[in-house]
Amino acid sequence: SRIPLVTRIPPVPAELPSLPRTAAGFHLRRELGRGGMGVVYEAQEIATGRTVALKVLLQELAVSGEAMERFQREARLAAAISHAHCVFVYGAHTVEGAPAIAMELIGGETLEDKIRRGEPIPIDTAVRWTIDLLDGLDAAHRAGVLHRDIKPSNCFVGEDGRLKVGDFGLSRSLERDVQLTQSGQFLGSPLYASPEQIRGRTLDARSDLYSCGATLYVILTGQPPFSGGNVGEVLARILSEEAPHPRTIRPAIPRALEFVVLRAMERDPEKRWASLQDFREALEPFATTRTEVAAPWRRIGAYILDLALPMFVLVPALGLLPIHLVDMQTPPGHLVVGFLNMAYFALTEGLLGWTVGKWLFGLRVASMETREPSLMGAAVRALVFLGPNTLIGFALTKILHPMGADAGFLQFTVSMAFYALMFVTARRRNRWRGIHELTSNTVVIPVSLPFLRARLQAPPPEMQLETRANLPANIGAYAVEGVVGATPSGSMLKARDVTLERSVWIHVPNVAGSLVDGGRRSLSRSSRLRWLDVVPTENGEADVFESPGGSSLPVFSRHHGSIDWPNAQRLMLGLVEELSVDAPAREGISLEQVWIDRNWNVRLLDEPVGHGPFTRLAPLDLVHDAARALFVGRADNAPSLPTDLPVHAEEAVQRLMGSENRFEDLGSIRDALTRLSAGPALVSRRTRAAQLAINVMLPAASLALIIIATYVIFGMIPRLKGVLPMAIELAKGHAIEKVDGGIRPNSKISELDITYGAELTPEQVRAREILVADACSTPFGSAIISNPDEELHAAISAAQAHQSGATTADVAWAEALVKAEPGWIGKRRREDVNEQVGDQGQARITVPESDLADIRHRFPTMAGLIGILLWGAFALPLAFAFRGGLTFTLFGVRVRDRRGRRAARWLCCLRCLLAWLPLAAATYVVMKLAKADHDVAAMLLAITFGLIYAAAVADAIVHPARCVVDRLLRTRLVPR
C-alpha cells in the first residue's frame, strides 16, 4: 500500500462508502477532522493492530499535481522529525486511490477545541503548552524543517496534558527554498502568520517564533491578536498595527509575561527573541503557579548592590553638578540623599518590579495578592525600610556637624543594625518577609534563575556503520546502508526509506518470524523506538524501526566523555522514568540498550546493539552504571564527580554513583532527579558580571569604612572635604584656582596665571597657616607630606607653632577666605619666578616642575597600589574562609577542582592570588617608572596591562564557569 515518490494521479472513485469501512489494509473507524487538503480518520492498521491517525488527501485535490507534491512533502518533512512534542509519522500509503499518511494518534483534543469552548485556560498551563510547542519546533528546526503554519488547530493536547505539534503541510526545508504556492496566493493561517511571511520575504526560525507568540496570545486571552471583516483587513493590521496588550483583555496576565508575548510578536524580526531557546527561557518562570521562595543569599547580594548604588553613583553624580546644591555632610544633605534613595526604590520596584540589584539576581518585588508590581506597595515598602534610617542620619548629623565631627561611620553602624532589625520577622514559612514587606504586603520572588540551563548545539556522534560482503542492497522498499551492530537475536541494519527519505533501522533476526508482538508495535512512548513496518527476508520477517541516530551509552562515553550536568541529569531522569514503567518485568537489561539519540534524548532499545558480550543488569545496577557513564564519562569505580556538578546535587549524585547508601528503588531516584531539575544548573554571564562588580565594590567600600573608622576612632585624618590637598599646595606656595564653585590646586605645572602681588596680607598668611596646621596635625596627615624640603618644613613648623590653638571655626574661616580670594600664593622664591607685567596688571609666574613632581608621581599610583594590596588583603582570607570568596557565597557559587571535588582552601587562595597579584605587580612597576620620570613607558605599560586585564574580565563574563585562572588551575565555578 506504500506510494512512491512520484506517482501517477489516481482515478477518483465516484462515491465513498460511509464509515466505518475497510480500505487498503486499514479499518477506518471515524472521522477526526477535515482541513483544506485532507480528511483525518481514526483507523486501525489491520496487519499490526496499531491504531493511527490516517490523513488522506481530499478526493477533489487528488487530481492536482501541486496538491500531490505538497502532500508528499508534508509526509517526508514530518517523517524526518522524531520528538516527544511532535506528531510522529509512521508511513505513507495509498487509500482508496488517494495518497495518505499514517500518523501517531493523539488522544485528547486540539488547542482550537479548547479555545472554542470559551473557558479561561490557566496561565501556567498555557505557558507549559507553549514550552512544549517550542521544544517540538526546535527539534523540527534542527532537522531542517520550518513549519510555517503554527496555529491552535495544529497543536494537539494529549490525555497526559502535554502538547504535540503536527500538520507540517506548509513546511519548508531550511536548506532550500521550494515555492509551491500559486502566483500571488498566500498559504497559511493569516491570524497567526508573521509579517515577513505575509510579505513573501525569506523566512527563518523567527517566523515560527512569531506564530508561537500569537498562539500563546490566543490561549491566554481567548481571541486572536488581530481580527477583521475579511482576510485583507487582518493582513493589513498585522503589517501596520501592534497587537492589543493581553492585559487589556485578561488583567490577570502578569505584566512580565505580557512583555514576553509582545516581544515574540514584534513586527521586526530583529526585535523578537533571538531564538526559540531564548523565548523558552523567558517563559519558564511563568510555567508554574507556585511562587518560589527567593533565596536569602540572593536577597543579600541584591541589597548590597542596591545600597552601594547611592554611595558609588548617586552621591558622586550630585557632586559633579555645576551647581553645588547641598553639602552632603550637613543635615539637609542627608535628607536629600535619603529622599533620593527612597525615590529610587519606590519608583523602580513600583513601576518595574525590580531595582538594578534585584534585576541582576533575577528577583522581583510584587504584591502578595496580585503577584504584580504595586507603586503604592513599593512606596510604603521604601518608606518603612529607609525612612527611619534617613531620620536617624539627619539627627546624628544635626548633633555632630556643629562640633566638627563626621557622622558617617556612626550612621553606617546604626543603619546596618536597623536593616538587620527589619528582618527579625523573616522566616522561610513566610517567604523571608521582613517588617517592611509585611507592612506593605509585598514579597520578593524569583522571576528567573540566576543560572543558565545548558543548550545542546551539535548532535552527538553517530555509531560507526560496518560493511559486510553479503549485505543485500535492498530489503523491501528500503535501501540498506550498513550494519549498526549485532544483537543477541540477530543484526541491526541501517537503511533508507526511499518513499519518505528518512533513515530507518531494520532488525534482521537469526530465526524465522518476527520478534515483535502487537503490543510492542503499538507502543508510542518517546523513550522507545517507534515500530514502523515488517518486511520479508530470507530468514523470515524483519522489523523496521525509526532510526534514532546517535550511539549507545558505552560508545558515547568512550568517544565523547561526560556531558554537562543539566543534560546528563535530564537523560538520567528520562532513563529512570522509562525503567519505572513495568519495573518488575524489567530484568537483565544491558548498558548497550541505553541509547542517546540525535536530539540528545535517551532511548531504551528492545535488545542491546553493539559487539558484545552484553552484561545483563538489574534496573538499579543499570542506573548506577549509566550514572557513572553520563556524569564522569566512564562506568568504572573511579571516585570522581562531575566537574560542573552543582553543590545541591552532590548528595544525590554520590548516591547514584557510589556503592554505599544507594537509592533503594527507582521511585526514589525519579523523585530526587525531578527535584534537582528545578535547581540551578550553570553559572550565567549575568551572575558572573554582577559578582565581579561587587568584587570591586566591596574592597572600595571596605577601604572607605576603614578611613572613616580611623578618623572617628583615632582622629588621624582631617575632615574629608579636600582640605588636605589644598593645604599641601598652600604649604608649598602654589596657586589655588576657583573651579565650578569649589577650589582645587591648579593642575597646570609649568605656568600658573595668578593675580599679581608680591606679598600676602596678614589675613592670608594666617589663613594659610591655619589650613597647613590643620592638615598636618595628625600622623596620617604629616605622613602624606613626606620628606619635605627645608623651606617646606620651616613653613609647616611655623604654621603649627603659630596656629596650634586654631578651632573648627578658625578652619572654616580660612576655607571661606581662600574660596573668596582664590588667586593668591604663598611665599614666592624670586629665583624661580619670571615676571612679566601686562596691561591688566597680571603676572605670569613660572613654577618649577620639581615642586609638584612628588605629588604627581606618587599619589595616583600609590593609591592604586594601596587599593590593590587592600583588595588582596581582604580577598585572600575571605577566599580561605569561604572557599572562593565572600562574593561567591553571596551569589551561590562554588569552586570545584579537576576531579569534581570541592576545591581545597589552598587552591581557592591560589586562584585568588593569581587573579590580583599580576595587577599589583604591574601597578608597582608603573609607579617605579613614573617616579623615575619614565612617563611614556609608564603610560604604555599601564594602558597595555589595563587592556589585558579588561580582556581577562571580559573572558570571565563570556566563559563564566571557567575564566583564564580556572583554565590554568583546571577548576570550575558551579552553582551552590
Side-chain angles (χ1 to χ4, degrees), residues 350-366:
L351 298 177
L352 303 175
W354 43 258
T355 57
V356 173
K358 291 181 177 64
W359 176 80
L360 286 171
F361 279 87
L363 302 175
R364 184 163 64 98
V365 178

Side-chain angles (χ1 to χ4, degrees), residues 579-664:
L579 291 173
S580 299
V581 180
D582 301 326
R586 296 187 182 277
E587 294 293 340
I589 306 173
S590 172
L591 199 61
E592 284 78 9
Q593 288 179 248
V594 181
W595 203 271
I596 299 178
D597 70 9
R598 63 174 63 90
N599 293 319
W600 293 93
N601 296 313
V602 68
R603 303 290 191 97
L604 189 63
L605 306 184
D606 297 310
E607 290 187 357
V609 177
H611 300 288
F614 305 118
T615 303
R616 302 284 182 171
L617 301 170
L620 283 177
D621 293 328
L622 177 72
V623 170
H624 169 80
D625 286 356
R628 302 199 69 84
L630 284 172
F631 293 144
V632 297
R634 55 190 183 277
D636 56 26
N637 292 319
S640 59
L641 289 172
T643 58
D644 60 346
L645 180 66
V647 175
H648 68 89
E650 187 171 317
E651 180 183 357
V653 171
Q654 286 178 334
R655 294 182 65 184
L656 274 173
M657 297 171 53
S659 58
E660 299 180 359
N661 195 25
R662 292 170 57 180
F663 289 100
E664 298 179 356

Side-chain angles (χ1 to χ4, degrees), residues 73-74 76-78 80-81 140-148 168-180 202-205 208 501:
R73 285 190 69 248
E74 175 183 358
R76 297 188 195 108
L77 292 172
I81 306 166
H141 291 176
R142 288 200 302 270
V145 178
L146 191 67
H147 193 288
R148 300 198 303 155
F168 286 79
L170 291 179
S171 300
R172 175 181 297 172
S173 171
L174 295 177
E175 298 178 355
R176 59 186 183 272
D177 187 9
V178 181
Q179 288 290 346
L180 293 174
T202 302
L203 303 183
D204 56 23
D208 279 352
E501 297 183 355

